[in-house]
Amino acid sequence: MTTKYQLIKLGADNLFYKEVLDTLYHHISELGLAKESIIEIDETNFKSEYKGNAPTFCIYFGSDSSSFKNIDLLEILIKDANLILPVASDLEKFSSQIPKELENINGFELANSNDIEKLVSCILEGLSLLRLSRRLFISYKRDESSTVAIQLFEQLEKNGFDVFLDTHSIRPGEPFQEELWHRMADTDVVVLLNTPGFLNSNWTTQEL
């Protein structure tokens, strides 16, 4: 393999970075890729390893220090139009933790280890190894599991999925059943809420 996926870490040291890497390599393995398909780059090997024409994702870790590191390398990545994710420990402190070069980019809050999976998803999406809009379809019987379906819809949307729920996802004036079948045919995952009367409904039976 001549072209590798470049993961670049700039900015401050971060306590969670090793766990981020471990989680990333776990998902890389699940995708059937070798660990060697990723090259890790930081300030120590940037000039010798960085290639401007290879798939690249940069994480810039902010800090409370007003003296920001690696601005020269950051400017090279910006010039090459690479994806750069500014990471702050608290988004309310974003403007003080992140250099002005990245102030117009939507940042990521890495407050604790619970945020790591979401950060790794951002990396995989940025490297085009994970579908940016992961589509998910909730199949359920309205009079038995609407409350659970709505809770699932809201939580999955919050975690980056493109979720289809019939009561929330079909705009007024659209052909209901046609849109439903269209979305079901183009979904990655179907979540079926199996309640006692699920198979008593003609529509849910057809979805199954």
Side-chain angles (χ1 to χ4, degrees):
M1 177 184 291
T2 54
T3 300
K4 294 190 176 185
Y5 297 97
Q6 301 180 131
L7 177 64
I8 302 178
K9 177 225 174 252
L10 298 178
D13 292 329
N14 189 278
L15 294 172
F16 297 110
Y17 188 57
K18 182 182 183 306
E19 193 174 346
V20 169
L21 286 177
D22 289 344
T23 304
L24 174 66
Y25 284 123
H26 173 73
H27 287 297
I28 287 292
S29 174
E30 288 182 334
L31 291 168
L33 294 172
K35 184 176 181 179
E36 293 71 29
S37 61
I38 300 284
I39 179 167
E40 298 170 34
I41 298 175
D42 58 23
E43 61 185 357
T44 64
N45 64 347
F46 185 94
K47 291 184 179 177
S48 61
E49 298 290 350
Y50 169 67
K51 292 180 174 57
N53 61 349
T56 301
F57 191 92
C58 174
I59 306 173
Y60 188 94
F61 287 109
S63 72
D64 291 317
S65 168
S66 57
S67 177
F68 298 112
K69 295 173 60 179
N70 310 134
I71 299 302
D72 56 333
L73 305 182
L74 199 56
E75 289 174 345
I76 293 171
L77 294 175
I78 292 171
K79 181 176 177 292
D80 289 347
N82 286 299
L83 286 170
I84 304 169
L85 181 64
V87 175
S89 62
D90 184 344
L91 287 182
E92 291 187 1
K93 299 179 181 178
F94 184 83
S95 59
S96 63
Q97 291 189 355
I98 300 297
K100 61 179 177 56
E101 288 81 359
L102 300 177
E103 63 185 8
N104 65 329
I105 300 176
N106 194 25
F108 184 93
E109 182 177 280
L110 181 58
N112 55 59
S113 59
N114 294 330
D115 300 320
I116 288 174
E117 280 285 350
K118 193 171 181 181
L119 175 57
V120 169
S121 288
C122 290
I123 297 169
L124 293 170
E125 289 167 3
L127 293 173
S128 297
L129 293 173
L130 188 67
R131 182 170 173 160
L132 182 60
S133 180
R134 287 158 287 169
R135 294 189 172 180
L136 190 145
F137 185 104
I138 299 177
S139 176
Y140 70 110
K141 195 165 184 293
R142 281 192 193 179
D143 60 355
E144 291 185 336
S145 53
S146 284
T147 302
V148 174
I150 292 168
Q151 289 173 342
L152 273 174
F153 173 84
E154 292 173 348
Q155 192 62 37
L156 289 162
E157 282 267 314
K158 189 189 300 182
N159 283 278
F161 288 87
D162 176 8
V163 188
F164 181 90
L165 183 67
D166 57 359
T167 55
H168 288 59
S169 306
I170 300 179
R171 292 188 293 270
E174 289 185 338
F176 184 88
Q177 208 61 42
E178 182 180 322
E179 180 64 16
L180 187 147
W181 296 137
H182 172 73
R183 282 298 303 268
M184 185 169 234
D186 188 31
T187 194
D188 300 307
V189 176
V190 174
V191 175
L192 186 152
L193 302 184
N194 185 19
T195 51
F198 185 85
L199 293 178
N200 295 335
S201 163
N202 179 49
W203 297 120
T204 50
T205 302
Q206 286 191 47
E207 289 169 14
L208 175 61

